Amino acid sequence: MTDTDENLPPRLGSLTFHGPLSEARANRMIERLAAASPSTVLDIGCGWGELLLRVLEAAPGSTGVGIDINAEDLARGRLVAKERGLADRVEFVEESALGTTRGPVDAILCLGSSQALCDPDQPHDPAVALRELRRLVRPGGRVVLGEGFWQRTPSDEELAGMWPGANTGDHLLLGPLVDLAIEAGFRPAWIETASREEWEEFESGYRHDTEVWLAAHPDHPLAAETRERVDRQRSSWLNGYRNALGIAYLTLVPVN
């Protein structure tokens, strides 16, 4: 057997964004952010920073910082920034967002990463994350928050098919989530939610390269554990949260 770890597919190579976000929706978000002419942009849990880089392209003269704890994703972001001529306007930093002093800034992106603003030893609390976002954004600025919510209360059978220990308290319904944003000192300038098509593009793209690799390398030393991981991920979507979990994209304006 000649296969080695180097034969594994690139991590998440088929994804543009690390979440259920279409090109069309991303472009609209970016247009709304750029219209506010931000000078400084902070991306919390940035991954490889695709949305951050596009905001900087759309807002000439702006600078950005992306923070994450995944070194591989950050390296990918630095490479893409260099390829697009943005390396002198963006910094990708490997650090925790908990209690960050990176603010205040004009615009914040926090898509699927609000847990990074909360105490990891406590249950995830979107109210805590929203208060932190309010602390970090300047008056007149903008926050784009991508946050999970229950489209409806999931059944016990669906919960059993999700992640370990899943329960109805893991997320809020959309109305209470928006209410929390208002209580934290924001007005919800735009409320939108990921479509089924966006979810399917994300879920399939998340596993695509690995599934193709598994088909071509069924006897690789890492095939069995990779197969088990991917099968578990797919099952948690199809048999658990597929019709219950949503992602809300909230464009928030701080109240002066």
Side-chain angles (χ1 to χ4, degrees), residues 36-58:
S37 302
S39 294
T40 52
V41 185
L42 174 65
D43 192 345
I44 296 169
C46 64
W48 51 89
E50 178 65 29
L51 196 64
L52 170 61
L53 295 175
R54 294 190 188 195
V55 170
L56 298 183
E57 289 173 327

Side-chain angles (χ1 to χ4, degrees), residues 139-151:
R142 299 290 186 274
V143 172
V144 176
L145 172 66
E147 184 71 21
F149 72 98
W150 293 131
Q151 300 183 77

Side-chain angles (χ1 to χ4, degrees), residues 89-138:
R89 292 173 54 197
V90 67
E91 182 182 8
F92 287 98
V93 184
E94 184 178 353
E95 68 182 26
S96 169
L98 186 63
T100 182
T101 59
R102 293 284 176 178
V105 294
D106 298 319
I108 300 175
L109 305 172
C110 183
L111 276 68
S113 302
S114 65
Q115 70 279 357
L117 296 167
C118 301
D119 185 342
D121 295 325
Q122 299 295 324
H124 174 237
D125 187 345
V128 171
L130 282 159
R131 289 195 294 269
E132 276 294 277
L133 292 170
R134 181 64 186 84
R135 176 180 70 84
L136 292 166
V137 66
R138 287 194 178 110

Side-chain angles (χ1 to χ4, degrees), residues 153-187:
T153 303
S155 67
D156 290 342
E157 182 179 1
E158 287 170 326
L159 287 168
M162 298 182 194
W163 48 90
N167 65 81
T168 56
D170 289 343
H171 296 286
L172 298 170
L173 297 174
L174 181 57
L177 175 61
V178 174
D179 289 344
L180 280 185
I182 294 171
E183 291 171 12
F186 290 106
R187 297 304 302 177

Side-chain angles (χ1 to χ4, degrees), residues 6 20 23 57 77 93 105 114 122 126 182 192 205 216 222 225-226 239:
E6 296 176 356
E23 289 278 352
E57 289 173 327
V93 184
V105 294
S114 65
Q122 299 295 324
I182 294 171
E192 54 195 318
L222 296 179
E225 64 182 79
T226 302
N239 300 313

